[in-house]
Amino acid sequence: MDELDREILDVLRRDARTPYTEIAERVETSEGTVRNRVERMNETGVIERFTVATRTGNIKAMIEVGVDVAVDTTEVAARMAEWDEVDFVWQVSGEEDVVLVIDAADTRGVNDLITQARDMDEIVSTKTRLILDERR
């Protein structure tokens, strides 16, 4: 990955719907170059997925999860990623092991996910933060 790839990714992170012609103009290259590089980054896994960010009026939160030291954190994170309200699952360093970024219809939905996490035998702690504002 070089600087041009990084510039293309920066545009796509802000709006994944940006047309290749517009990206090409912003990064000062041809549309064909942008198209080829995006296809290559998709094929090699640099770009994992294109996603939609919404402003639904839902409750957004981060649930920080501590996993038992004898447990495979990757496996636990993979199971949590399948939960409907979970937008992202990050394995992180620090006091907690996994962070869930969720988009729930209401506080009951947030609480249900906290309970679901706490009901897992591998989980030793949770800490929740409501997201009050989001900027791009």
Side-chain angles (χ1 to χ4, degrees):
M1 208 167 84
D2 63 11
E3 185 59 31
L4 182 56
D5 288 340
R6 287 182 187 86
E7 290 176 13
I8 292 168
L9 287 174
D10 186 51
V11 174
L12 290 172
R13 276 189 196 103
R14 295 176 192 280
D15 184 353
R17 298 174 306 150
T18 306
Y20 290 156
T21 52
E22 186 177 326
I23 296 170
E25 189 175 301
R26 288 188 193 179
V27 301
E28 299 179 347
T29 193
S30 70
E31 182 269 343
T33 298
V34 170
R35 180 178 307 281
N36 290 336
R37 285 178 177 248
V38 170
E39 287 174 9
R40 181 179 42 80
M41 288 188 282
N42 269 315
E43 291 168 2
T44 61
V46 170
I47 296 175
E48 293 180 351
R49 65 182 175 147
F50 291 91
T51 188
V52 175
T54 61
R55 297 202 186 272
T56 58
N58 288 354
I59 305 293
K60 292 189 177 188
M62 294 183 342
I63 302 173
E64 301 172 19
V65 179
V67 178
D68 186 278
V69 71
V71 173
D72 179 4
T73 304
T74 301
E75 190 272 327
V76 171
R79 281 191 286 152
M80 291 176 160
E82 295 177 9
W83 298 349
D84 288 338
E85 295 88 354
V86 173
D87 283 344
F88 298 99
V89 178
W90 301 323
Q91 290 185 58
V92 297
S93 62
E95 292 181 37
E96 311 305 335
D97 302 296
V98 175
V99 174
L100 308 176
V101 178
I102 64 167
D103 187 348
D106 52 28
T107 54
R108 176 172 288 167
V110 174
N111 197 48
D112 289 347
L113 282 175
I114 295 166
T115 300
Q116 193 171 346
R118 288 179 177 170
D119 284 346
M120 296 174 68
D121 292 336
E122 303 91 341
I123 305 307
V124 296
S125 66
T126 63
K127 186 185 319 179
T128 305
R129 300 172 190 270
L130 294 179
I131 297 171
L132 301 177
D133 192 17
E134 184 177 10
R135 304 275 181 218
R136 294 188 207 283

